[in-house]
Amino acid sequence: PHDVIAEKHEREHADGVTSTVVFFPIDNRIPPILLRTTQRDRLVGMRILVSIDSWPADSEYPLGHYVKTLGVTGTKDTETQVLLQEFRIPCEPFPAKVLACLPPADYKIELEPGRLDMRHLPVLSIDPPGCKDIDDALHCIELPNGNWQCGVHIADVTHYVEAGSAIDLEAANRSTSTYLVNKRLDMLPSLLTTDLCSLKGNVDRFAFSVLWEVTPEADVVDVEFHKSIIHSIAALTYQQAQSLIDKPDKDCKDDIQAGAVKRLAVLARKFRERRIRAGALTLASPEVKFVLDSESLNPTDVQAYTLYEANALVEEFMLLANVTVSKKILRHYPTLSVLRRHPAPNRSMFDGLIQKASTKGVSICIDDSKKLADSLDEAGKKLSDNPYLDKLIRILSTRCMSPAQYFCSGEYQAKDWHHYGLAAPVYTHFTSPIRRYADVCVHRLLAAAIGVAPLPVFLSSKSHLHDLAANMNRRHRAAQLAGRASVQLHTLIFFAGGEEGEGGGAKEEDAYV
């Protein structure tokens, strides 16, 4: 107990100014730390950052020193600072040398030699409400031969982020943007993140485009890769896109947006059906959204995140782009490609879930992803009158798996490149370069593969790629855990009635424990 440890070790020193106090870390794997300080009274009840200096042989606990105060224990802002420190999320402002790499505020985006002008195409984006860092946009048009051309257009971040520059090194270190409930910590400065790179509606933007010619039955006939300039005709929310999908065909004859979204939806359904037949998993994550007070940013309501068919539409085309690009860069750089693998789970990781599911009459088989997918679908049928338990089993199945990893293709044999969850022999991340550094690397590999830019020297070094991948994996996991911790924090604040009494206080709901 903290009181017993404090009583034993806290004491005033003979100088009458300093005292030894006990610091209890949030992480209970770390032992209490003894601090000598002159400001004991000011530190009581505060969240502080300390550094361990030594652990003398004759001391029961290590010795350390005070670094800084984060704030009063229990307040939202303080606890948010704590979780950023706990997961080592970079949250300092961008230094001057990084900001010096940005283009001027009045930078004009104009067609350049070597770029394909695609501003005549009905390109549009589909994102959550309020999204400002729009990485991707889509289009789908009918071709004279009866086939369709569909395109995925991704923000051309590498146009603004020169390899080896201060902004590039900063992005490589941060490696990912981190999304908390009440704030976003960007990998790149906001001029790029929410303006020049963001594929906003009704403005010209530079993009890296993947174009497919497909039959109406979703068979790919041809694929092309281009640096491009686009002009998005609409920045839709998922709900707006869904209303276009649901719009009766007879009302869509002259509606360019509806026509494009409906064609994309037709293809996405067929792509998805094929993936699931091949063994791709349909899992679940416990996503919730908070309604925040406009001034205090405290949660006033919490709701389940609604998924539409439009979400699945975007997901299918992002997966298609990522798989297509991974194959292209591998053909040109078989030992230097930045890929993403997802190892098959160990049975021991699933033992607890398999045992507990059996008590509800549900059998889970993990021999391969197809058998796991089929057993989860069978569970869904058995639990048709209990959708919450079905979703819980899918959420727990996700948590039982090994995390996916970035890696350099030269470090593993081809059989180990497999992505278990997607049932894909090869996979990469290409579609979110505003918020993931892995995608920035893949853009550079693809640009070199199609001959529009040389491959940066550091991407030719396997040892450098190994270090990059290790940092990307570490940062990605930390951002994931920080996001979950932020949801937990805001959930606690909401059910406690909020810091100033908004929120709902006590709630009564059915639950599984």
Side-chain angles (χ1 to χ4, degrees):
H2 290 184
D3 291 349
V4 174
I5 295 171
E7 188 176 341
K8 181 178 177 183
H9 292 278
E10 289 195 349
R11 61 191 175 89
E12 298 287 338
H13 290 281
D15 59 13
V17 178
T18 60
S19 56
T20 294
V21 297
V22 185
F23 169 81
F24 295 98
I26 285 178
D27 187 341
N28 56 22
R29 294 172 300 178
I30 301 171
I33 301 163
L34 306 181
L35 310 176
R36 186 164 176 164
T37 179
T38 60
Q39 45 185 345
R40 179 191 183 283
D41 292 341
R42 283 171 52 199
L43 298 182
V44 171
M46 307 296 279
R47 292 288 197 203
I48 65 171
L49 199 60
V50 308
S51 178
I52 295 177
D53 299 321
S54 63
W55 195 335
D58 61 350
S59 176
E60 188 174 353
Y61 298 117
L63 310 181
H65 68 270
Y66 164 87
V67 176
K68 69 174 180 179
T69 298
L70 300 177
V72 178
T73 299
T75 64
K76 174 169 57 67
D77 289 345
T78 298
E79 299 305 327
T80 298
Q81 282 300 313
V82 168
L83 71 87
L84 291 174
Q85 293 288 340
E86 184 180 359
F87 298 109
R88 298 182 183 178
I89 305 296
C91 49
E92 303 79 20
F94 289 99
K97 64 182 179 180
V98 168
L99 300 178
C101 298
L102 295 172
D106 60 352
Y107 182 83
K108 293 283 188 292
I109 293 175
E110 296 171 340
L111 182 62
E112 302 173 332
R115 277 192 189 271
L116 184 64
D117 190 347
M118 304 181 75
R119 289 175 290 186
H120 60 288
L121 291 173
V123 172
L124 47 81
S125 61
I126 306 173
D127 290 283
C131 181
K132 291 185 169 58
D133 51 342
I134 302 175
D135 283 290
D136 55 89
L138 302 159
H139 86 269
C140 187
I141 58 170
E142 294 184 60
L143 297 172
N145 64 2
N147 287 341
W148 295 347
Q149 182 195 68
C150 52
V152 167
H153 310 274
I154 305 300
D156 189 5
V157 170
T158 56
H159 175 80
Y160 303 98
V161 179
E162 184 183 344
S165 63
I167 195 170
D168 184 46
L169 297 176
E170 181 73 18
N173 176 45
R174 294 187 180 219
S175 204
T176 181
S177 294
T178 300
Y179 293 84
L180 307 182
V181 170
N182 58 335
K183 64 165 69 178
R184 187 185 71 233
L185 296 146
D186 290 326
M187 182 181 83
L188 293 165
S190 60
L191 178 64
L192 299 184
T193 299
T194 61
D195 190 2
L196 292 178
C197 291
S198 185
L199 304 183
K200 300 187 290 189
N202 302 309
V203 290
D204 292 353
R205 287 292 179 262
F206 292 140
F208 211 153
S209 301
V210 186
L211 309 176
W212 298 268
E213 181 182 342
V214 298
T215 68
E217 292 305 307
D219 296 315
V220 175
V221 177
D222 191 24
V223 62
E224 299 174 9
F225 307 90
H226 296 281
K227 289 272 187 154
S228 62
I229 185 170
I230 64 169
H231 186 97
S232 172
I233 61 169
L236 302 175
T237 65
Y238 288 121
Q239 196 164 5
Q240 288 170 332
Q242 189 61 46
S243 68
L244 295 178
I245 294 171
D246 296 338
K247 196 172 181 180
D249 290 344
K250 61 184 175 60
D251 298 337
C252 297
K253 287 182 181 174
D254 300 317
D255 190 330
I256 293 172
Q257 291 181 29
V261 173
K262 278 180 168 290
R263 283 189 290 274
L264 290 165
V266 167
L267 293 173
R269 287 176 203 131
K270 290 173 180 170
F271 290 146
R272 183 176 179 79
E273 187 183 331
R274 283 181 202 165
R275 281 197 314 108
I276 289 171
R277 274 206 310 269
L281 297 173
T282 306
L283 298 172
S285 59
E287 288 192 58
V288 295
K289 64 176 181 178
F290 290 88
V291 178
L292 301 180
D293 179 80
S294 59
E295 292 183 7
S296 69
L297 296 183
N298 284 330
T300 58
D301 194 13
V302 59
Q303 303 162 354
Y305 186 75
T306 306
L307 291 174
Y308 300 95
E309 183 187 353
N311 294 72
L313 181 163
V314 174
E315 181 185 15
E316 287 307 315
F317 277 94
M318 297 307 109
L319 292 174
L320 177 64
N322 286 335
V323 169
T324 304
V325 169
S326 68
K327 292 174 180 175
K328 177 68 175 175
I329 62 175
L330 259 176
R331 276 198 298 274
H332 291 262
Y333 299 104
T335 62
L336 297 173
S337 291
V338 175
L339 302 177
R340 190 157 173 82
R341 65 191 285 267
H342 184 210
N346 295 323
R347 184 172 181 85
S348 61
M349 299 161 74
F350 266 86
D351 279 345
L353 178 59
I354 290 170
Q355 183 183 353
K356 289 178 176 66
S358 67
T359 65
K360 296 290 182 182
V362 170
S363 175
I364 296 176
C365 176
I366 64 163
D367 292 348
D368 58 45
S369 61
K370 177 77 174 115
K371 287 179 179 172
L372 176 56
D374 289 346
S375 63
L376 290 173
D377 289 343
E378 192 61 35
K381 291 174 189 171
K382 281 187 181 178
L383 300 170
S384 57
D385 60 338
N386 198 341
Y388 290 113
L389 183 55
D390 175 38
K391 184 170 184 180
L392 180 63
I393 289 172
R394 288 180 184 273
I395 289 168
L396 293 175
S397 295
T398 307
R399 297 282 170 91
C400 289
M401 292 188 189
S402 309
Q405 303 166 334
Y406 295 111
F407 71 101
C408 169
S409 56
E411 291 195 297
Y412 289 86
Q413 295 181 344
K415 65 182 177 62
D416 296 322
W417 296 348
H418 186 78
H419 195 293
Y420 178 86
L422 297 173
V426 59
Y427 191 67
T428 194
H429 274 165
F430 164 76
T431 53
S432 295
I434 291 176
R435 58 187 177 88
R436 290 189 307 229
Y437 191 73
D439 305 54
V440 173
C441 297
V442 170
H443 276 230
R444 289 176 177 146
L445 285 159
L446 182 59
I450 65 173
V452 299
L455 187 68
V457 174
F458 67 84
L459 286 182
S460 302
S461 162
K462 281 189 199 172
S463 64
H464 186 81
L465 286 169
H466 172 87
D467 292 344
L468 264 182
N471 186 59
M472 291 189 296
N473 289 327
R474 187 166 56 248
R475 294 290 199 200
H476 178 83
R477 180 66 175 159
Q480 207 174 35
L481 293 174
R484 284 183 196 165
S486 180
V487 168
Q488 289 172 353
L489 170 63
H490 282 76
T491 303
L492 285 169
I493 292 169
F494 176 71
F495 283 110
E499 288 182 324
E500 284 84 32
E502 52 289 63
K507 303 286 178 190
E508 186 171 321
E509 294 282 355
D510 291 334
Y512 287 96
V513 179

